[in-house]
């Protein structure tokens, strides 16, 4: 199995809390950054999605905090979509320190909304892949 898509991120000082740890809400920002980076790498842009009349929606997100992250830490944020047959899909992500230590695991459930009908589209994975210039990344 090939390695999942990943992006590097450096923890910035202003993202930390009073104890000097990465603030809990920033983990979501890192995950979102990796998701959009993967979509962009596959050839899908926000403008392209909107122009197609669809947009991604978050339905559930779970974060498991495993190790602390401090200002200056270099991490890799992975992203892997898991497509099913229905209207929803899963996204599995890991935030890993340079030494290989897993700092957090993020699992999300998403869907793709028809922006006119305001309902989830069927078979979101096929819609995403149809919009991509490099669907193999998805």
């Amino acid at each position: 199995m090939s390695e999942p898509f990943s992006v590097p991120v450096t923890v910035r000082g202003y993202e930390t809390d009073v104890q000097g740890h990465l603030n809990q809400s920033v983990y979501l920002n890192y995950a979102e950054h990796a998701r959009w980076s993967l979509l962009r790498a596959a050839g899908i842009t926000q403008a392209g999605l909107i122009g197609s009349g669809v947009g991604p929606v978050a339905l559930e997100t779970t974060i498991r905090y495993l190790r602390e992250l401090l200002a200056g830490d270099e991490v890799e944020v992975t992203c892997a979509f898991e497509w099913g047959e229905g209207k929803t899909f899963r996204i599995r992500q890991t935030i890993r320190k340079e030494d290989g230590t897993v700092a957090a695991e993020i699992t999300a459930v998403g869907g793709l909304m028809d922006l006119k009908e305001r309902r989830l589209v069927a078979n979101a994975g096929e819609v995403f892949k149809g919009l991509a210039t490099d669907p193999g990344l998805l």
Side-chain angles (χ1 to χ4, degrees):
M1 182 174 154
S2 65
E3 291 294 315
F5 181 87
S6 69
V7 294
V9 177
T10 301
V11 176
R12 295 164 289 261
Y14 62 82
E15 297 173 326
T16 59
D17 60 19
V18 192
Q19 293 92 320
H21 303 131
L22 184 64
N23 182 280
Q24 63 183 354
S25 66
V26 180
Y27 287 82
L28 291 172
N29 291 335
Y30 288 4
E32 185 79 0
H33 172 64
R35 287 192 293 269
W36 279 109
S37 294
L38 172 52
L39 291 174
R40 253 190 334 275
I44 300 172
T45 64
Q46 288 176 319
L49 286 166
I50 291 169
S52 297
V54 295
V57 293
L59 302 171
E60 175 185 311
T61 304
T62 302
I63 305 172
R64 292 188 63 225
Y65 304 98
L66 301 168
R67 295 288 184 271
E68 65 184 0
L69 290 175
L70 306 172
D73 282 347
E74 302 283 340
V75 299
E76 286 287 326
V77 184
T78 67
C79 184
F81 285 84
E82 295 178 355
W83 308 105
E85 298 289 322
K87 295 180 179 182
T88 63
F89 53 87
R90 289 197 178 280
I91 305 166
R92 298 209 185 269
Q93 298 183 263
T94 301
I95 299 177
R96 190 179 317 274
K97 298 168 82 168
E98 280 184 309
D99 68 2
T101 302
V102 175
E105 296 172 334
I106 301 159
T107 305
V109 176
L112 194 58
M113 181 182 286
D114 179 310
L115 299 175
K116 183 177 177 187
E117 298 294 322
R118 308 306 288 176
R119 297 193 187 284
L120 295 180
V121 301
N123 213 344
E126 293 306 314
V127 175
F128 268 115
K129 290 173 185 174
L131 294 171
T133 56
D134 187 357
L137 289 174
L138 299 172

